[in-house]
Amino acid sequence: MIKDKKFNSGFVSIIGRPNVGKSTLMNCLIGEKIAITSHKPQTTRNKIQTILTRSDFQAVFIDTPGLHDPKSKLGKYMVRSAESSLSEMDIVMYLIEPYEKINDNDLSILKRLEKVTSNIFLVINKIDTVSHDKILEVIDVYKDKGNFAEIIPISAINANKVDLLLENIKKYLPEGPQYYPEDMITDQVEKEIVGEIIREKTLKLLNDEIPHGIAVSVMSMKIRKNRNIYDIEATIFCERESHKGIVIGRKGSKLKDIGIRARGDIERLLGCDVNLQLWVKVKKDWRDSDFLLKDFGYNSKEI
């Protein structure tokens, strides 16, 4: 990459309470779907790192689980994972929805931000859902609640004002090296992304209770010799025997639908045909098991 003498780079964390659009924003910023999205809260469970490289700057984005009051060991892991992203960041983007009422979750986040020395952006998402006057009211309520370097209204779903957000990110990044190759957009391995894609489809196709007890393990990913086809085997784990039947569906219809939808996204990710085989197993109360949390990729040391 040919760079000017001055090159800015740094790390940008995206925080906020559940379901405010953090993953949607990160996908929008880098122009690729890396983080899964859903209308259900607490979709993101791990910190996900993506990279945007331009000719004069590189921003490394960290999408975090929503900050909330945890009810399980998995929930505690998610909150610790989000809180750890606040340290040593160049920019912390606090994402909110355009509502002037500050709830207990918001107050808790604002309290945490009092200890943060990074540049803090207040980013008001979903501005396409309210009037301009309402956005001004939200700004008026929040502007004195924190030490905000910038307050930027956007809509991540349709990329409205996201270019302005990027301009401000570049402005606040320090001069520094290019940390990652210019063609690298995430540090996640393909196997992890495939597992998250499958979990996303369960979130979108199952009722509100069951998806929080879902984990996905990709056991095998192999490309066939002399053929551009990936054979992928994955298991969907749930916490109850009764949930297993719901995930599978009548005559396997729900599991088939999950597989069809996941396969399409996986094929776009890998750029080739995919033969996806899914199984469903029960791991009772896995969200409160140190061993199983570690087995599913959640670091128990952070719990």
PDB file of all heavy atoms in Angstrom, residues 4-15:
ATOM      1  N   ASP A   4       0.641   8.214   2.282  1.00  0.00           N
ATOM      2  CA  ASP A   4       1.254   9.517   2.506  1.00  0.00           C
ATOM      3  C   ASP A   4       2.149   9.417   3.735  1.00  0.00           C
ATOM      4  O   ASP A   4       2.117   8.440   4.475  1.00  0.00           O
ATOM      5  CB  ASP A   4       0.158  10.564   2.735  1.00  0.00           C
ATOM      6  CG  ASP A   4      -0.714  10.740   1.499  1.00  0.00           C
ATOM      7  OD1 ASP A   4      -0.204  10.558   0.381  1.00  0.00           O
ATOM      8  OD2 ASP A   4      -1.908  11.058   1.684  1.00  0.00           O
ATOM      9  N   LYS A   5       2.924  10.460   3.975  1.00  0.00           N
ATOM     10  CA  LYS A   5       3.811  10.441   5.132  1.00  0.00           C
ATOM     11  C   LYS A   5       3.028  10.287   6.422  1.00  0.00           C
ATOM     12  O   LYS A   5       3.447   9.601   7.335  1.00  0.00           O
ATOM     13  CB  LYS A   5       4.649  11.725   5.144  1.00  0.00           C
ATOM     14  CG  LYS A   5       5.725  11.771   4.057  1.00  0.00           C
ATOM     15  CD  LYS A   5       6.570  13.032   4.192  1.00  0.00           C
ATOM     16  CE  LYS A   5       7.660  13.057   3.125  1.00  0.00           C
ATOM     17  NZ  LYS A   5       8.480  14.281   3.224  1.00  0.00           N
ATOM     18  N   LYS A   6       1.855  10.938   6.482  1.00  0.00           N
ATOM     19  CA  LYS A   6       1.058  10.846   7.687  1.00  0.00           C
ATOM     20  C   LYS A   6       0.013   9.743   7.526  1.00  0.00           C
ATOM     21  O   LYS A   6      -0.756   9.718   6.572  1.00  0.00           O
ATOM     22  CB  LYS A   6       0.367  12.172   7.989  1.00  0.00           C
ATOM     23  CG  LYS A   6      -0.403  12.153   9.302  1.00  0.00           C
ATOM     24  CD  LYS A   6      -1.034  13.504   9.594  1.00  0.00           C
ATOM     25  CE  LYS A   6      -1.807  13.459  10.914  1.00  0.00           C
ATOM     26  NZ  LYS A   6      -2.459  14.746  11.213  1.00  0.00           N
ATOM     27  N   PHE A   7       0.013   8.814   8.473  1.00  0.00           N
ATOM     28  CA  PHE A   7      -0.955   7.718   8.466  1.00  0.00           C
ATOM     29  C   PHE A   7      -1.502   7.567   9.875  1.00  0.00           C
ATOM     30  O   PHE A   7      -0.745   7.457  10.838  1.00  0.00           O
ATOM     31  CB  PHE A   7      -0.277   6.409   8.016  1.00  0.00           C
ATOM     32  CG  PHE A   7      -1.240   5.293   7.765  1.00  0.00           C
ATOM     33  CD1 PHE A   7      -1.912   5.182   6.552  1.00  0.00           C
ATOM     34  CD2 PHE A   7      -1.477   4.328   8.738  1.00  0.00           C
ATOM     35  CE1 PHE A   7      -2.797   4.136   6.314  1.00  0.00           C
ATOM     36  CE2 PHE A   7      -2.354   3.282   8.516  1.00  0.00           C
ATOM     37  CZ  PHE A   7      -3.025   3.182   7.291  1.00  0.00           C
ATOM     38  N   ASN A   8      -2.814   7.606  10.002  1.00  0.00           N
ATOM     39  CA  ASN A   8      -3.457   7.477  11.298  1.00  0.00           C
ATOM     40  C   ASN A   8      -4.010   6.069  11.489  1.00  0.00           C
ATOM     41  O   ASN A   8      -4.485   5.446  10.541  1.00  0.00           O
ATOM     42  CB  ASN A   8      -4.602   8.489  11.437  1.00  0.00           C
ATOM     43  CG  ASN A   8      -4.109   9.917  11.436  1.00  0.00           C
ATOM     44  OD1 ASN A   8      -2.916  10.171  11.605  1.00  0.00           O
ATOM     45  ND2 ASN A   8      -5.006  10.855  11.240  1.00  0.00           N
ATOM     46  N   SER A   9      -3.946   5.587  12.712  1.00  0.00           N
ATOM     47  CA  SER A   9      -4.474   4.249  12.987  1.00  0.00           C
ATOM     48  C   SER A   9      -4.838   4.139  14.458  1.00  0.00           C
ATOM     49  O   SER A   9      -4.298   4.859  15.299  1.00  0.00           O
ATOM     50  CB  SER A   9      -3.445   3.174  12.627  1.00  0.00           C
ATOM     51  OG  SER A   9      -2.264   3.320  13.406  1.00  0.00           O
ATOM     52  N   GLY A  10      -5.751   3.214  14.747  1.00  0.00           N
ATOM     53  CA  GLY A  10      -6.119   3.022  16.139  1.00  0.00           C
ATOM     54  C   GLY A  10      -7.305   2.105  16.299  1.00  0.00           C
ATOM     55  O   GLY A  10      -7.804   1.520  15.336  1.00  0.00           O
ATOM     56  N   PHE A  11      -7.770   2.020  17.538  1.00  0.00           N
ATOM     57  CA  PHE A  11      -8.790   1.052  17.915  1.00  0.00           C
ATOM     58  C   PHE A  11     -10.052   1.768  18.387  1.00  0.00           C
ATOM     59  O   PHE A  11      -9.987   2.710  19.166  1.00  0.00           O
ATOM     60  CB  PHE A  11      -8.247   0.126  18.995  1.00  0.00           C
ATOM     61  CG  PHE A  11      -7.103  -0.732  18.504  1.00  0.00           C
ATOM     62  CD1 PHE A  11      -5.811  -0.222  18.441  1.00  0.00           C
ATOM     63  CD2 PHE A  11      -7.333  -2.024  18.073  1.00  0.00           C
ATOM     64  CE1 PHE A  11      -4.763  -1.004  17.965  1.00  0.00           C
ATOM     65  CE2 PHE A  11      -6.298  -2.812  17.602  1.00  0.00           C
ATOM     66  CZ  PHE A  11      -5.012  -2.300  17.547  1.00  0.00           C
ATOM     67  N   VAL A  12     -11.187   1.279  17.889  1.00  0.00           N
ATOM     68  CA  VAL A  12     -12.472   1.915  18.138  1.00  0.00           C
ATOM     69  C   VAL A  12     -13.445   0.869  18.686  1.00  0.00           C
ATOM     70  O   VAL A  12     -13.749  -0.121  18.018  1.00  0.00           O
ATOM     71  CB  VAL A  12     -13.052   2.525  16.849  1.00  0.00           C
ATOM     72  CG1 VAL A  12     -14.365   3.254  17.150  1.00  0.00           C
ATOM     73  CG2 VAL A  12     -12.046   3.454  16.180  1.00  0.00           C
ATOM     74  N   SER A  13     -13.936   1.094  19.901  1.00  0.00           N
ATOM     75  CA  SER A  13     -14.898   0.175  20.510  1.00  0.00           C
ATOM     76  C   SER A  13     -16.316   0.701  20.315  1.00  0.00           C
ATOM     77  O   SER A  13     -16.563   1.904  20.393  1.00  0.00           O
ATOM     78  CB  SER A  13     -14.596   0.021  22.001  1.00  0.00           C
ATOM     79  OG  SER A  13     -15.536  -0.828  22.616  1.00  0.00           O
ATOM     80  N   ILE A  14     -17.240  -0.223  20.036  1.00  0.00           N
ATOM     81  CA  ILE A  14     -18.654   0.129  19.901  1.00  0.00           C
ATOM     82  C   ILE A  14     -19.396  -0.490  21.078  1.00  0.00           C
ATOM     83  O   ILE A  14     -19.460  -1.712  21.207  1.00  0.00           O
ATOM     84  CB  ILE A  14     -19.242  -0.392  18.580  1.00  0.00           C
ATOM     85  CG1 ILE A  14     -18.395   0.069  17.385  1.00  0.00           C
ATOM     86  CG2 ILE A  14     -20.688   0.093  18.412  1.00  0.00           C
ATOM     87  CD1 ILE A  14     -18.804  -0.546  16.060  1.00  0.00           C
ATOM     88  N   ILE A  15     -19.943   0.361  21.959  1.00  0.00           N
ATOM     89  CA  ILE A  15     -20.635  -0.147  23.137  1.00  0.00           C
ATOM     90  C   ILE A  15     -22.068   0.383  23.160  1.00  0.00           C
ATOM     91  O   ILE A  15     -22.430   1.296  22.416  1.00  0.00           O
ATOM     92  CB  ILE A  15     -19.911   0.228  24.443  1.00  0.00           C
ATOM     93  CG1 ILE A  15     -20.004   1.738  24.694  1.00  0.00           C
ATOM     94  CG2 ILE A  15     -18.460  -0.219  24.429  1.00  0.00           C
ATOM     95  CD1 ILE A  15     -19.689   2.137  26.113  1.00  0.00           C
TER      96      ILE A  15
END
